[in-house]
Amino acid sequence: MNPEYLMRSLMFVPAHNERLMDSASRSSADVLLLDIEDSVQPVENKQVARENIIKYVKNGQFRDRVLFPRVNDRESGELLKDVYQLTIQGITGFMYPKARKGEDIYFIGKLLETIEYEKGFPNGTFKLIPLIETAGAVMNIQDICTACPNRVVAVAFGCEDFITDLGGQHDTEGESIFTARAMIAMGAKANGIVPIDTVHIKVHDLDDLENNLILSKKLGFEGMLILNPKELPLCHRYYSPSSDQVSWAEDMIRLSGEAIAQGKGVALKDNKFIGPPMVKMAKEILRKQGLIESRKNLRLNSSSCC
């Protein structure tokens, strides 16, 4: 997994709405998806959204935040304006919507490479999160994940557009999107990038959100797209290691290290062998816990400076 970013929650924020931008700057979301696409209408508001993002970044309101503006797709006529204006210090990367195949990601990757060169940024500075929203994109998940290896850090599922494209129907059990979710999670993990689950549509039903998070974790997702800040506490709880998991991981690493130091090669815990998969899992748990602690410390330091 990419060691650089904590992505338990990625919250959409309509970037033309300053009230929501102000609120987002104070939120606990790991990633802010500053939207210039679907939620920004009419089209004249897209330039307002771009200018708001630049203003908020430059005045420090999003200091130390991970920012991925959701840009418009390559057929919209807005993409070049989006990425050229927003390739600035303080922007982490971009969420690219309606990714259908690897060619789409390769295209925006090359566009970013050209802009980085012109503006003096190192190649690969701005990262990408493709948004998987069609049946074709689900089928092409491997191609999308590998199209731009130095930029793609995660892929996210957009269920509403997917169901529309499929001609399917939402159901309370989630059966209509189960296969797509599983394929996206597996495609991401197969290529060492972070899988992000779809939005929870019933934002005020936190019991349903919790049930959805339980399934999401089982499928291998590491984070979720968020529409409402009230979803953040549950989301963070389920995508964070528990104290028991952290203790278990520390024991795994310690016992494995002791066995290697003693020339045993294999360690035992509760009469069970500690094999390489368990050690790998333990390292991933501790990596994520380290990112969470770093984020907490960063927020504490930012608060004390104000």
Side-chain angles (χ1 to χ4, degrees), residues 89-101:
Q89 198 74 38
I91 295 293
T92 311
F94 301 96
M95 170 169 274
Y96 181 78
K98 300 177 177 65
R100 292 178 174 85
K101 49 191 175 180

PDB file of all heavy atoms in Angstrom, residues 89-101:
ATOM      1  N   GLN A  89       1.151  24.691  -5.324  1.00  0.00           N
ATOM      2  CA  GLN A  89       1.621  24.178  -4.045  1.00  0.00           C
ATOM      3  C   GLN A  89       0.450  24.105  -3.078  1.00  0.00           C
ATOM      4  O   GLN A  89      -0.314  25.062  -2.928  1.00  0.00           O
ATOM      5  CB  GLN A  89       2.701  25.107  -3.481  1.00  0.00           C
ATOM      6  CG  GLN A  89       3.565  24.470  -2.407  1.00  0.00           C
ATOM      7  CD  GLN A  89       4.540  23.467  -2.995  1.00  0.00           C
ATOM      8  OE1 GLN A  89       5.083  23.678  -4.076  1.00  0.00           O
ATOM      9  NE2 GLN A  89       4.751  22.369  -2.291  1.00  0.00           N
ATOM     10  N   GLY A  90       0.299  22.951  -2.413  1.00  0.00           N
ATOM     11  CA  GLY A  90      -0.799  22.773  -1.467  1.00  0.00           C
ATOM     12  C   GLY A  90      -1.880  21.838  -1.974  1.00  0.00           C
ATOM     13  O   GLY A  90      -2.686  21.341  -1.190  1.00  0.00           O
ATOM     14  N   ILE A  91      -1.893  21.592  -3.286  1.00  0.00           N
ATOM     15  CA  ILE A  91      -2.809  20.605  -3.866  1.00  0.00           C
ATOM     16  C   ILE A  91      -2.052  19.284  -3.977  1.00  0.00           C
ATOM     17  O   ILE A  91      -0.964  19.228  -4.543  1.00  0.00           O
ATOM     18  CB  ILE A  91      -3.307  21.055  -5.261  1.00  0.00           C
ATOM     19  CG1 ILE A  91      -4.148  22.332  -5.141  1.00  0.00           C
ATOM     20  CG2 ILE A  91      -4.093  19.940  -5.937  1.00  0.00           C
ATOM     21  CD1 ILE A  91      -5.462  22.163  -4.407  1.00  0.00           C
ATOM     22  N   THR A  92      -2.642  18.211  -3.439  1.00  0.00           N
ATOM     23  CA  THR A  92      -1.973  16.902  -3.453  1.00  0.00           C
ATOM     24  C   THR A  92      -2.118  16.226  -4.806  1.00  0.00           C
ATOM     25  O   THR A  92      -1.188  15.579  -5.297  1.00  0.00           O
ATOM     26  CB  THR A  92      -2.570  15.996  -2.360  1.00  0.00           C
ATOM     27  OG1 THR A  92      -2.613  16.713  -1.127  1.00  0.00           O
ATOM     28  CG2 THR A  92      -1.737  14.731  -2.193  1.00  0.00           C
ATOM     29  N   GLY A  93      -3.304  16.326  -5.379  1.00  0.00           N
ATOM     30  CA  GLY A  93      -3.566  15.661  -6.650  1.00  0.00           C
ATOM     31  C   GLY A  93      -5.005  15.905  -7.053  1.00  0.00           C
ATOM     32  O   GLY A  93      -5.648  16.836  -6.561  1.00  0.00           O
ATOM     33  N   PHE A  94      -5.516  15.028  -7.914  1.00  0.00           N
ATOM     34  CA  PHE A  94      -6.848  15.234  -8.465  1.00  0.00           C
ATOM     35  C   PHE A  94      -7.628  13.924  -8.497  1.00  0.00           C
ATOM     36  O   PHE A  94      -7.072  12.864  -8.778  1.00  0.00           O
ATOM     37  CB  PHE A  94      -6.758  15.798  -9.888  1.00  0.00           C
ATOM     38  CG  PHE A  94      -6.029  17.113  -9.952  1.00  0.00           C
ATOM     39  CD1 PHE A  94      -4.674  17.158 -10.269  1.00  0.00           C
ATOM     40  CD2 PHE A  94      -6.675  18.306  -9.649  1.00  0.00           C
ATOM     41  CE1 PHE A  94      -3.986  18.361 -10.319  1.00  0.00           C
ATOM     42  CE2 PHE A  94      -6.002  19.520  -9.688  1.00  0.00           C
ATOM     43  CZ  PHE A  94      -4.653  19.550 -10.014  1.00  0.00           C
ATOM     44  N   MET A  95      -8.928  14.013  -8.185  1.00  0.00           N
ATOM     45  CA  MET A  95      -9.828  12.892  -8.446  1.00  0.00           C
ATOM     46  C   MET A  95     -10.335  13.061  -9.875  1.00  0.00           C
ATOM     47  O   MET A  95     -10.877  14.107 -10.231  1.00  0.00           O
ATOM     48  CB  MET A  95     -10.995  12.876  -7.455  1.00  0.00           C
ATOM     49  CG  MET A  95     -12.078  11.878  -7.831  1.00  0.00           C
ATOM     50  SD  MET A  95     -13.313  11.609  -6.524  1.00  0.00           S
ATOM     51  CE  MET A  95     -12.475  10.335  -5.576  1.00  0.00           C
ATOM     52  N   TYR A  96     -10.159  11.995 -10.669  1.00  0.00           N
ATOM     53  CA  TYR A  96     -10.596  12.052 -12.063  1.00  0.00           C
ATOM     54  C   TYR A  96     -11.876  11.237 -12.218  1.00  0.00           C
ATOM     55  O   TYR A  96     -11.872  10.028 -11.994  1.00  0.00           O
ATOM     56  CB  TYR A  96      -9.518  11.525 -13.010  1.00  0.00           C
ATOM     57  CG  TYR A  96      -9.957  11.615 -14.453  1.00  0.00           C
ATOM     58  CD1 TYR A  96      -9.916  12.831 -15.128  1.00  0.00           C
ATOM     59  CD2 TYR A  96     -10.470  10.507 -15.123  1.00  0.00           C
ATOM     60  CE1 TYR A  96     -10.353  12.945 -16.436  1.00  0.00           C
ATOM     61  CE2 TYR A  96     -10.908  10.607 -16.431  1.00  0.00           C
ATOM     62  CZ  TYR A  96     -10.857  11.827 -17.080  1.00  0.00           C
ATOM     63  OH  TYR A  96     -11.309  11.936 -18.369  1.00  0.00           O
ATOM     64  N   PRO A  97     -13.000  11.878 -12.604  1.00  0.00           N
ATOM     65  CA  PRO A  97     -14.278  11.173 -12.695  1.00  0.00           C
ATOM     66  C   PRO A  97     -14.454  10.454 -14.032  1.00  0.00           C
ATOM     67  O   PRO A  97     -13.749  10.723 -15.000  1.00  0.00           O
ATOM     68  CB  PRO A  97     -15.295  12.315 -12.576  1.00  0.00           C
ATOM     69  CG  PRO A  97     -14.615  13.463 -13.262  1.00  0.00           C
ATOM     70  CD  PRO A  97     -13.132  13.307 -12.940  1.00  0.00           C
ATOM     71  N   LYS A  98     -15.395   9.523 -14.044  1.00  0.00           N
ATOM     72  CA  LYS A  98     -15.801   8.839 -15.279  1.00  0.00           C
ATOM     73  C   LYS A  98     -14.628   8.189 -15.999  1.00  0.00           C
ATOM     74  O   LYS A  98     -14.570   8.165 -17.242  1.00  0.00           O
ATOM     75  CB  LYS A  98     -16.549   9.808 -16.198  1.00  0.00           C
ATOM     76  CG  LYS A  98     -17.813  10.384 -15.556  1.00  0.00           C
ATOM     77  CD  LYS A  98     -18.496  11.394 -16.465  1.00  0.00           C
ATOM     78  CE  LYS A  98     -19.793  11.911 -15.847  1.00  0.00           C
ATOM     79  NZ  LYS A  98     -19.575  12.691 -14.604  1.00  0.00           N
ATOM     80  N   ALA A  99     -13.678   7.659 -15.223  1.00  0.00           N
ATOM     81  CA  ALA A  99     -12.575   6.915 -15.829  1.00  0.00           C
ATOM     82  C   ALA A  99     -13.134   5.618 -16.410  1.00  0.00           C
ATOM     83  O   ALA A  99     -13.707   4.805 -15.685  1.00  0.00           O
ATOM     84  CB  ALA A  99     -11.512   6.608 -14.777  1.00  0.00           C
ATOM     85  N   ARG A 100     -13.000   5.423 -17.697  1.00  0.00           N
ATOM     86  CA  ARG A 100     -13.568   4.230 -18.344  1.00  0.00           C
ATOM     87  C   ARG A 100     -12.520   3.165 -18.624  1.00  0.00           C
ATOM     88  O   ARG A 100     -12.807   1.975 -18.601  1.00  0.00           O
ATOM     89  CB  ARG A 100     -14.271   4.627 -19.641  1.00  0.00           C
ATOM     90  CG  ARG A 100     -15.523   5.466 -19.411  1.00  0.00           C
ATOM     91  CD  ARG A 100     -16.175   5.897 -20.725  1.00  0.00           C
ATOM     92  NE  ARG A 100     -17.450   6.566 -20.487  1.00  0.00           N
ATOM     93  CZ  ARG A 100     -17.570   7.862 -20.206  1.00  0.00           C
ATOM     94  NH1 ARG A 100     -16.482   8.618 -20.145  1.00  0.00           N
ATOM     95  NH2 ARG A 100     -18.754   8.401 -20.011  1.00  0.00           N
ATOM     96  N   LYS A 101     -11.295   3.616 -18.901  1.00  0.00           N
ATOM     97  CA  LYS A 101     -10.223   2.674 -19.211  1.00  0.00           C
ATOM     98  C   LYS A 101      -8.883   3.334 -18.912  1.00  0.00           C
ATOM     99  O   LYS A 101      -8.816   4.529 -18.614  1.00  0.00           O
ATOM    100  CB  LYS A 101     -10.293   2.223 -20.666  1.00  0.00           C
ATOM    101  CG  LYS A 101     -10.423   3.356 -21.670  1.00  0.00           C
ATOM    102  CD  LYS A 101     -10.744   2.816 -23.059  1.00  0.00           C
ATOM    103  CE  LYS A 101     -11.003   3.956 -24.045  1.00  0.00           C
ATOM    104  NZ  LYS A 101     -11.323   3.462 -25.392  1.00  0.00           N
TER     105      LYS A 101
END
